[in-house]
Amino acid sequence: NSEFRNDATRTETSRDSDTNGGNGNTTTASSGWKTMRESDAALHEKMMLLQFVTPAHLEIECLKHKFDNSHGVKDAAKDENADAENYLIDLTYSVEKLKSIQHQASPRQMLQNILLAHRGISIALNAAVDETTTGTTPVDQITQPSSSSTSFRNPNHQPPGADDILPTLILAVLRAHPQSLWKNLRFIEHFAPPSLLLGEMGYAYTNLCGATHFLKKLDMEGHLAEVTLG
């Protein structure tokens, strides 16, 4: 397993391999294909260029009432004690878990961190929509779901839904900008027991793969041009 993760020159399989003399041997095409290290470096560079992205850019619907209130954001930014980045939604817990994936030794440990990061997304969305939440911290709510807490939700605010999870996870990935994310996801794909990729843990892993693929395939130049022209 460690050989797979530390192989800096490993290439992804090419569909354009050439057959040599009909003897069944193939040569991997070099043009147009990146090593895992190159893929991760390109992904990380793109994430760093996207640090300006906010919930409004990702159209997180349940937070619309917050980013529509531009005065609230400005007021938060003026407050020296306020973290303007976390005014709309505090993703600190999920960001920490995403950053720690690369420090785990096994697929099970990696998946556990992905699961906790994913749970943190749901907790953060609910906390952002709720007017106040008391009695527990976000960590308590994730690790001890039965902990007592009190929350008051404005009935005029839309509650978080399944469609809010993926864009919020994309935002958390951007804030974490973890190293070797693509390689670690492939490592899990190849070596995690199938039973671990079922249920809530499998759902969390699938969503993180979706968020990562979105960022990998994002055409930044084209998208920014559309925004500018619009």
Side-chain angles (χ1 to χ4, degrees):
N1 292 3
S2 60
E3 181 181 353
F4 177 91
R5 297 182 62 192
N6 294 326
D7 183 2
T9 61
R10 183 182 180 94
T11 58
E12 297 184 7
T13 306
S14 171
R15 295 179 182 175
D16 302 321
S17 51
D18 301 309
T19 302
N20 297 326
N23 59 6
N25 296 327
T26 60
T27 303
T28 303
S30 59
S31 60
W33 292 88
K34 297 179 179 179
T35 65
M36 266 190 233
R37 174 179 286 180
E38 291 170 338
S39 294
D40 266 319
L43 176 60
H44 189 262
E45 181 181 5
K46 182 180 287 188
M47 288 191 289
M48 296 308 295
L49 291 172
L50 290 169
Q51 290 304 300
F52 65 89
V53 170
T54 67
H57 290 113
L58 293 167
E59 299 181 349
I60 301 174
E61 190 63 28
C62 69
L63 299 182
K64 192 173 186 298
H65 69 280
K66 280 199 166 187
F67 53 72
D68 279 349
N69 179 15
S70 58
H71 295 294
V73 178
K74 292 177 182 177
D75 291 342
K78 291 178 182 178
D79 186 346
E80 294 181 357
N81 297 319
D83 184 346
E85 185 182 66
N86 290 330
Y87 171 74
L88 296 176
I89 182 169
D90 185 356
L91 296 173
T92 303
Y93 179 84
S94 293
V95 166
E96 289 176 354
K97 291 302 175 183
L98 290 171
K99 284 182 175 180
S100 67
I101 293 172
Q102 66 190 37
H103 302 301
Q104 307 308 311
S106 70
R108 182 182 296 274
Q109 292 171 331
M110 291 180 177
L111 284 167
Q112 184 64 28
N113 276 57
I114 292 172
L115 174 61
L116 292 176
H118 197 268
R119 286 179 178 174
I121 296 294
S122 298
I123 297 296
L125 282 170
N126 279 292
V129 173
D130 290 345
E131 293 300 309
T132 59
T133 302
T134 59
T136 61
T137 65
V139 176
D140 292 332
Q141 295 180 59
I142 294 166
T143 58
Q144 304 173 32
S146 61
S147 298
S148 61
S149 63
T150 303
S151 63
F152 303 93
R153 177 168 297 163
N154 189 321
N156 296 322
H157 295 167
Q158 179 175 328
D163 291 340
D164 297 311
I165 296 293
L166 183 57
T168 308
L169 183 56
I170 291 171
L171 183 63
V173 170
L174 287 176
R175 290 185 181 178
H177 46 84
Q179 300 279 354
S180 304
L181 178 58
W182 181 244
K183 181 173 68 176
N184 288 327
L185 290 176
R186 293 295 303 277
F187 175 69
I188 293 171
E189 177 187 355
H190 281 271
F191 296 111
S195 59
L196 290 182
L197 298 177
L198 301 175
E200 185 185 3
M201 189 172 285
Y203 177 63
Y205 171 73
T206 299
N207 270 346
L208 182 57
C209 287
T212 306
H213 276 287
F214 172 83
L215 293 172
K216 278 175 63 69
K217 300 298 183 182
L218 180 64
D219 178 9
M220 287 184 58
E221 293 183 3
H223 185 69
L224 290 175
E226 289 179 6
V227 173
T228 303
L229 291 174

